[in-house]
Amino acid sequence: MMTKSKIKLSMIFPLHFFMTLCLVSILGVVSCNKVNEKKQIKPINRFNEMRLKMVEYQIEARGIKDSGVLEAIRKVPRHLFVPDNLQDLAYNDEPLPIGSGQTISQPYIVAYMTEILQLQKSDRVLEIGTGSGYQAAILAELVDSVFTIEILPELSKKAAEILKKLNYENIYFKVGNGFYGWSEKAPFDAIIVTAAPEKIPQPLVDQLNVGGRMIIPVGDFFQELYIMRKTEAGVEKEKKLPVRFVPLQGEP
Ligand code: SAH
């Protein structure tokens, strides 16, 4: 009898032991997944918080009121447009390097230039200087179509990749010298120039609709931001802010 029950027990134990092991490892995997999930979610929340604070303290506090512009900046994940090692600085009050000697503009300047264009949903907008693609994303949140030109192919390619990943389908890219605009797609309701020429490029003025607006930094070391409006009578030009942009390359 004793031997019989001993045998029975030894048969049950391994099975029991095996089942416990399975349960522990299943629980282990589930809890490991939970840890991983947390690890993935935490930074995203952190960037969301940083972005909301940026809008409040850097943008609204300086007088930007257009609700569409504020909403677009609250939505677009700016940290994905800067190099990985600079993501923690993406919501700071400063421009940042994006490679090839170029920069993504300070968030406030992006907001200011976008607001002053007084965009309508149906507008066709031309951007000169795609850079990281961040400004193009902000524009694409507000209007039906954005045409953006970049002189450096590697930057245009990188920007197109990230904007595709973020599901923007209303941004059209061109590699070339933005000084000449994009005559095949003209006229535009608004033009935003994010690199500074020494003089306002005439082709850009020509490609603006009557009623169209252009925001453009002009100058060499000392630059001023100008807003221009094209009317039936001609072009009005107003000086707004001293700024510092990278130079527009390849001016004739
Ligand atoms: N709007 C960009 C910032 C751009 S910085 C953003 O949101 O990140 C200015 C960009 O203009 C640079 O990428 C630079 O390579 C580009 N650029 C300079 N000269 C140009 C030209 N003639 N035509 C088109 N792009 C030009």
Side-chain angles (χ1 to χ4, degrees):
M1 286 296 283
M2 282 289 282
T3 3
K4 229 183 179 182
S5 67
K6 257 188 192 166
I7 290 168
K8 267 189 188 164
L9 269 177
S10 64
M11 284 176 73
I12 292 165
F13 260 130
L15 185 65
H16 182 250
F17 183 65
F18 177 71
M19 284 171 71
T20 317
L21 245 181
C22 284
L23 194 66
V24 167
S25 50
I26 287 169
L27 283 176
V29 169
V30 170
S31 62
C32 277
N33 279 347
K34 272 202 177 145
V35 172
N36 284 342
E37 253 171 44
K38 266 190 196 154
K39 267 189 192 155
Q40 283 165 3
I41 287 169
K42 207 175 158 200
I44 295 173
N45 285 340
R46 186 163 62 87
F47 286 128
N48 285 347
E49 262 171 47
M50 287 160 88
R51 192 158 60 249
L52 295 182
K53 281 198 180 133
M54 171 188 86
V55 171
E56 187 180 348
Y57 296 114
Q58 297 172 37
I59 296 176
E60 284 183 290
R62 288 194 181 113
I64 303 295
K65 291 193 175 60
D66 186 306
S67 59
V69 174
L70 294 171
E71 209 37 59
I73 296 177
R74 279 191 200 105
K75 182 172 167 195
V76 177
R78 184 174 159 95
H79 60 281
L80 300 183
F81 293 85
V82 302
D84 288 354
N85 62 327
L86 298 181
Q87 286 201 341
D88 277 341
L89 307 180
Y91 298 100
N92 285 5
D93 193 12
E94 59 188 351
L96 289 174
I98 53 170
S100 310
Q102 305 305 321
T103 53
I104 178 172
S105 306
Q106 177 192 7
Y108 169 68
I109 291 293
V110 172
Y112 182 89
M113 292 173 83
T114 311
E115 182 179 65
I116 209 164
L117 288 173
Q118 297 182 311
L119 299 170
Q120 307 290 316
K121 182 82 179 90
S122 59
D123 282 351
R124 293 159 56 82
V125 180
L126 175 67
E127 178 192 29
I128 308 302
T130 312
S132 67
Y134 176 70
Q135 173 76 69
I138 298 293
L139 295 168
E141 290 288 334
L142 296 164
V143 301
D144 284 344
S145 27
V146 178
F147 301 85
T148 182
I149 307 179
E150 169 59 54
I151 204 163
L152 301 176
E154 67 274 19
L155 288 183
S156 180
K157 185 168 173 263
K158 228 200 273 175
E161 277 166 11
I162 171 75
L163 290 164
K164 191 173 175 221
K165 261 192 211 153
L166 293 173
N167 295 322
Y168 287 100
E169 286 173 353
N170 56 342
I171 305 176
Y172 306 92
F173 301 87
K174 177 177 171 175
V175 174
N177 187 349
F179 183 93
Y180 300 102
W182 195 337
S183 55
E184 299 85 353
K185 305 288 180 188
F188 301 99
D189 303 296
I191 300 180
I192 179 166
V193 185
T194 65
E198 285 183 26
K199 286 192 315 214
I200 292 170
Q202 190 56 40
L204 297 184
V205 180
D206 295 342
Q207 290 174 26
L208 209 50
N209 253 331
V210 170
R213 295 82 57 203
M214 171 154 74
I215 181 85
I216 180 167
V218 183
D220 188 358
F221 186 79
F222 296 103
Q223 301 164 3
E224 296 283 349
L225 202 52
Y226 285 89
I227 177 77
M228 304 178 61
R229 291 182 196 87
K230 197 167 185 177
T231 66
E232 295 285 1
V235 178
E236 294 165 359
K237 190 171 117 180
E238 193 185 332
K239 201 194 273 187
K240 299 303 288 189
L241 283 181
V243 283
R244 189 100 185 93
F245 278 81
V246 294
L248 190 81
Q249 298 171 29
E251 275 186 77

